Amino acid sequence: MGRGADPTAHVSSTVAPTYAVAVKDRPRQRPVSDWSRSGRTVGCAVLAILAAGASQDPSARQEPPAVRWEGTLDGGGRPVSGAILPSGDLVLVDDASRVVEQRRRDGTLVTRLEPVAGWRRPASVSVRAAGGVLVCDPEGGLVARFDGEGRAIGASPLPDGTPLRPRAAAELDEGVVLIDEVAPAVLAATPEGSVRWIVGDADLPGGWGRPVDLAVAPDGRVFVVDADRHRVVVLSAEGRFLSAFGARGPFPGLFAEPSGCAIA
C-alpha cells in the first residue's frame, strides 16, 4: 500500500466500468519466428486491454472518433506528448522549441500556451476535467494548469520540502497524481498541495524502473507505464498496488519500450 493511503478507503460502484487502456510502445524489430515470416512490418505497437469488470463484447465498445493530421510544427518540431481536448483540438508538447501548441483537427495553429513562472522545458500534457490541460515541466519542478482557451491559470500546488521532477501528471479527486523522476515514485497530492499518498520502490513488487507516463481511469485506477520494467502498473485511487501487466518481448501483449498510455 502506498504510504499515506487510507486502508479503509475504497471506490464504490454498482456498475462495472467499461474502458480500455491504450499503451504506446516503440517500434519493434521483427522477431525471428514463424509469426513474423509473413513479411508483415511490425511498427508502433498499441496494446488495448479491457479493465477488470469491463464488457468483453467488442461490439459493445464505442471507439472514439479518429483525429487525423499530418504536418510539421512551426518550431521545427519534436513532439514528445499530446492530448485531445473535448473540442477535438490537439495539444502538443514540442521538445525542440520548448513550447506547447494547440491545433485544430486539420493542424491549424490555434495558440501557443504562455509559459508560467518557472517554466523551463515542458515534457508532457494531459486533459483537465474542467477543460484545458495540465503541463508537466520536470526541469522547472512544476505542473502548470491552463484553461480551455490556452490561458495560464497557475501551477498546481505541490508538496513542499522535497525536490520534485514531475514527469507526467493527471487529475485525481480534484488534486493531481504525478510521476516524480527524482525518487522515482508516484505521488498523489490534494488541491492544497499536501501529500495524499506515495508509492515508492518498497510499495510494489519489483519496485520502479523508470516510470514515464500515467493515466487515470473513470473508476479512479491509476495506470503507470514503467519503461525499464516493460510493464504497466495498476494502482487504486488510494495508492494501493492492484496489479501489473506486460513484460519484455516481441509479441502481442509484450513490450519493447512502452512510453505512454491513455484511457479510451
Side-chain angles (χ1 to χ4, degrees):
M1 181 182 296
R3 287 159 283 166
D6 180 358
T8 65
H10 65 281
V11 176
S12 61
S13 176
T14 58
V15 180
T18 301
Y19 55 82
V21 182
V23 182
K24 177 186 174 185
D25 197 10
R26 72 169 172 80
R28 308 166 179 169
Q29 292 184 348
R30 185 176 300 171
V32 180
S33 68
D34 292 336
W35 178 79
S36 67
R37 288 175 186 166
S38 62
R40 291 179 296 170
T41 300
V42 181
C44 267
V46 176
L47 173 67
I49 295 183
L50 288 177
S55 170
Q56 299 301 310
D57 180 8
S59 65
R61 293 182 54 206
Q62 299 295 319
E63 297 295 337
V67 177
R68 299 190 176 186
W69 164 63
E70 294 182 3
T72 58
L73 301 180
D74 291 347
R78 191 166 75 90
V80 292
S81 181
I84 299 176
L85 299 174
S87 64
D89 284 2
L90 182 64
V91 180
L92 291 170
V93 178
D94 182 0
D95 187 60
S97 57
R98 303 191 179 189
V99 300
V100 181
E101 297 181 349
Q102 182 175 336
R103 291 179 175 268
R104 301 294 187 206
R105 298 185 184 198
D106 62 1
T108 302
L109 179 66
V110 177
T111 185
R112 284 198 177 96
L113 276 59
E114 290 295 327
V116 300
W119 183 294
R120 295 184 185 176
R121 189 171 190 171
S124 66
V125 61
S126 64
V127 177
R128 300 176 59 232
V133 294
L134 295 177
V135 178
C136 279
D137 186 335
E139 292 188 10
L142 59 83
V143 178
R145 294 178 294 162
F146 295 85
D147 66 17
E149 302 300 322
R151 294 185 294 261
I153 301 173
S156 293
L158 299 179
D160 295 326
T162 182
L164 293 176
R165 284 180 57 91
R167 177 65 182 82
E171 289 187 331
L172 178 66
D173 293 339
E174 299 183 353
V176 296
V177 57
L178 60 87
I179 293 172
D180 177 20
E181 289 183 332
V182 174
V186 174
L187 177 152
T190 67
E192 297 74 31
S194 301
V195 175
R196 289 184 56 204
W197 49 260
I198 301 175
V199 177
D201 277 333
D203 300 312
L204 72 160
W208 294 112
R210 183 166 55 92
V212 293
D213 197 17
L214 56 76
V216 176
D219 60 0
R221 295 185 187 185
V222 182
F223 292 79
V224 185
V225 176
D226 190 330
D228 285 358
R229 297 281 189 265
H230 308 96
R231 66 178 183 174
V232 176
V233 173
V234 187
L235 307 174
S236 73
E238 298 79 34
R240 295 192 302 270
F241 170 76
L242 298 178
S243 63
F245 60 84
R248 184 179 180 85
F251 303 107
L254 304 178
F255 299 114
E257 186 179 343
S259 60
C261 66
I263 304 297

